Amino acid sequence: MNATAIILAAGEGTRMKSNHAKVSHAILGKPMICWVVDAALGAGCERVVVVVGSHADEVRGIIDATYAGSQAVVECVEQAERLGTAHAVRIALEATGIDAGPVVVLNGDLPLIQPETIGNFANTVAAGDVAATVLSFKPQDLQGYGRIVLDTDGSLLRIVEQKDCTPEEAAIDECNAGCYAFDGAQLKAHIGEVGCDNAQHEYYLPDMLGILREAGERVASYCCEDYRDGLGVNSRSQLAELTAVARDRINERLMAEGVTFIDPAQAWIGPDATVGRDTVIWPQTHLIGTCVVGEDCALGPNTRLTNVRVGDRCSVDETVGIDVVLENDITCGPRAYLRPGTHVLDGAHIGTHVEIKKSTIGKGSKVPHLSYIGDTTMGAGVNIGAGSITCNYDGVNKHPTTIGDDTFIGSDTMMVAPVNIGSHAVTGAGGTITQDVPDGALAVERTEQRIIEGYSERKRARK
Ligand code: UD1
Ligand code: CA
């Protein structure tokens, strides 16, 4: 579909009672505006224009950070004064020079709109059948939505905002979802005719449908199959409601693809995550951003992974991971914290109360208990004894540690970086290792143990 999308995101979002842009609020870890942009891109729109205004820098920042490196053309246009949704569209048309082809207009607070839905109804305009189509839906709660007024022959007559409704109009259960497709030439030709003689003294985009009809053009409404596609977010309670809907949709899809959920109401999987078949998701698992999880894994309970790749047959229990790669057959947790740049190779084990940052843990290596490993390159078959730490920071700079294959680090070893510990080496428990350890060597750093006989007895006698 060779269409342009205009996404309206300049509004104040007053009802959110927030210091941030309404569309910056996240649903399952992804800002609302990105859900809408991605739906437009998914429907095949080739260019996306986001109208920003209130908290413009914040919204622009999200758009830039998300789409800068991508193929998609996503740009922002500023609506300095917020005079209504039709005004926002007019600003976008003027700023971009769009004057032909199908134009899809989406409210920025419409995160659950699906690409197929946009495609289905926008095609009616792309095919030249009508000059405009509005997406309608039948919400359970009509509050705040514009009503779709039909003519006696069932064709779309106009859209009336709730605040301008007569009691009869207010009773209409078919509402405007805030999602439209226009013929670009007709939109440009008539947008200037929208007035603001209404309850809110705003230029209403929905008025365009009535205007085009009056001008002798064909207009239509297209009712959503799933009313949830049309739900908008104006308040925190709607944000929570839509988050639950999004969660259910994603978890349903994953279950259909062969993923087991112990309790699908208690797993929060973002829209851009993938999970392989036969993986089991335990309660309170969060997958945020672009997580890719393989097959036959067990995730959770109590696990939060952000931009993490997990291979096959991994078990990740009570773990927080951010920007991490876990290869295959890895066991991790409970209570592990994997920070950016952690790469765990096949068959490794990360145990309990372990923190790892910017380090490679070699094949089959084990960091089982109470350790901090930072800026470290570790070979295969290494065992890190309980309580061992890489002292990678001297208060000013970070320094690297290397540990060769099959080396045994005794419990409570402090590896003061920069330091290189060879392969097949051993460090004695409790050592503070400040010098490199050659391959195959034992490094012991420890004062000799003294035995003071009869100590307790003498102490008791003194009392
Ligand atoms: C709008 C529709 C209503 C529809 C509902 C669906 C209008 C007049 N009404 O109402 O028929 O049922 O959406 O959810 O369009 N915005 C701008 N610039 C502005 C004003 C708004 O960019 O000057 C943006 C907002 O940021 C928001 C979107 O347009 O993303 C819709 O505005 P909002 O105030 O939420 O409209 P509703 O009252 O929900
Ligand atoms: Ca709204």
Side-chain angles (χ1 to χ4, degrees):
M1 188 178 52
N2 180 20
T4 303
I6 297 174
I7 300 180
L8 308 181
E12 310 289 342
T14 323
R15 288 162 280 178
M16 291 295 281
K17 304 263 166 57
S18 176
N19 297 329
H20 301 277
K22 175 165 76 177
V23 298
S24 74
H25 288 265
I27 290 187
L28 299 177
K30 175 169 172 167
M32 229 189 284
I33 186 67
C34 297
W35 285 76
V36 185
V37 171
D38 287 351
L41 294 172
C45 293
E46 288 174 345
R47 182 180 182 189
V48 178
V49 178
V50 180
V51 183
V52 299
S54 176
H55 300 281
D57 290 344
E58 186 178 27
V59 181
R60 213 190 286 271
I62 292 170
I63 296 293
D64 288 350
T66 312
Y67 300 101
S70 77
Q71 299 278 79
V73 183
V74 185
E75 59 200 301
C76 293
V77 158
E78 185 150 353
Q79 182 194 18
E81 255 186 315
R82 263 77 66 196
L83 303 179
T85 45
H87 178 251
V89 169
R90 205 172 75 208
I91 299 280
L93 294 178
E94 284 166 6
T96 58
I98 298 162
D99 59 3
V103 176
V104 172
V105 180
L106 302 167
N107 282 359
D109 61 1
L110 187 71
L112 300 188
I113 187 75
Q114 305 200 68
E116 306 74 52
T117 307
I118 298 175
N120 283 345
F121 88 92
N123 273 333
T124 58
V125 172
D129 301 342
V130 291
T133 302
V134 58
L135 185 68
S136 68
F137 75 126
K138 295 187 173 178
Q140 288 165 330
D141 180 3
L142 305 172
Q143 185 61 35
Y145 293 112
R147 306 295 203 276
I148 303 285
V149 182
L150 301 178
D151 206 349
T152 43
D153 65 357
S155 64
L156 174 68
L157 194 55
R158 60 194 150 85
I159 302 169
V160 186
E161 289 308 295
Q162 164 147 330
K163 287 184 178 152
D164 300 295
C165 277
T166 63
E168 294 74 42
E169 287 166 341
I172 296 170
D173 67 348
E174 188 174 352
C175 295
N176 170 19
C179 179
Y180 320 75
F182 293 100
D183 172 72
Q186 294 294 338
L187 180 63
K188 181 161 189 269
H190 295 279
I191 190 86
E193 295 164 29
V194 177
C196 60
D197 182 16
N198 54 50
Q200 302 186 87
H201 305 292
E202 277 182 14
Y203 296 90
Y204 291 161
L205 183 63
D207 284 359
M208 271 303 291
L209 282 296
I211 288 170
L212 287 171
R213 182 183 161 119
E214 291 280 300
E217 296 295 331
R218 293 193 54 188
V219 297
S221 59
Y222 177 97
C223 195
C224 276
E225 275 168 40
D226 183 348
Y227 78 94
R228 299 176 303 179
D229 274 28
L231 295 172
V233 176
N234 297 303
S235 64
R236 302 275 179 166
S237 80
Q238 285 170 322
L239 183 68
E241 187 187 329
L242 267 69
T243 297
V245 172
R247 176 203 62 203
D248 290 348
R249 280 184 168 179
I250 289 166
N251 294 352
E252 282 295 334
R253 170 174 57 79
L254 291 172
M255 286 189 280
E257 290 169 7
V259 177
T260 294
F261 284 80
I262 302 299
D263 180 357
Q266 289 193 71
W268 311 85
I269 316 290
D272 302 319
T274 63
V275 183
R277 53 167 69 189
D278 293 317
T279 284
V280 177
I281 311 261
W282 288 79
Q284 295 308 331
T285 294
H286 304 249
L287 300 184
I288 300 161
T290 50
C291 288
V292 178
V293 177
E295 301 187 349
D296 268 314
C297 294
L299 301 186
N302 304 331
T303 290
R304 172 162 56 89
L305 303 180
T306 305
N307 304 328
V308 171
R309 184 159 69 76
V310 181
D312 297 330
R313 299 172 303 278
C314 294
S315 158
V316 183
D317 185 1
E318 279 201 59
T319 291
V320 174
I322 302 164
D323 299 335
V324 163
V325 176
L326 306 180
E327 303 288 354
N328 301 311
D329 301 293
I330 283 154
T331 49
C332 183
R335 301 194 191 105
Y337 181 24
L338 308 179
R339 293 169 49 202
T342 297
H343 187 188
V344 184
L345 303 189
D346 288 356
H349 170 62
I350 311 297
T352 188
H353 298 283
V354 170
E355 175 177 343
I356 300 180
K357 185 215 78 172
K358 212 172 163 189
S359 294
T360 299
I361 308 301
K363 281 190 184 173
S365 288
K366 297 187 173 82
V367 190
H369 331 274
L370 302 154
S371 279
Y372 170 64
I373 303 294
D375 304 304
T376 297
T377 308
M378 190 184 295
V382 170
N383 187 85
I384 304 285
S388 293
I389 283 172
T390 56
C391 311
N392 62 328
Y393 185 49
D394 60 13
V396 182
N397 294 308
K398 302 277 167 64
H399 301 284
T401 299
T402 63
I403 304 172
D405 293 344
D406 298 312
T407 281
F408 183 92
I409 302 294
S411 292
D412 196 31
T413 297
M414 301 293 114
M415 292 162 270
V416 181
V419 69
N420 301 302
I421 300 171
S423 57
H424 299 275
V426 177
T427 69
T432 298
I433 304 300
T434 54
Q435 293 167 34
D436 287 359
V437 180
D439 291 349
L442 164 67
V444 191
E445 187 280 327
R446 202 186 275 167
T447 45
E448 245 172 68
Q449 182 172 316
R450 289 167 62 206
I451 300 288
I452 298 163
E453 298 283 0
Y455 171 78
S456 294
E457 210 171 305
R458 286 198 298 279
K459 195 174 165 190
R460 262 201 308 277
R462 272 203 300 271
K463 274 200 185 149

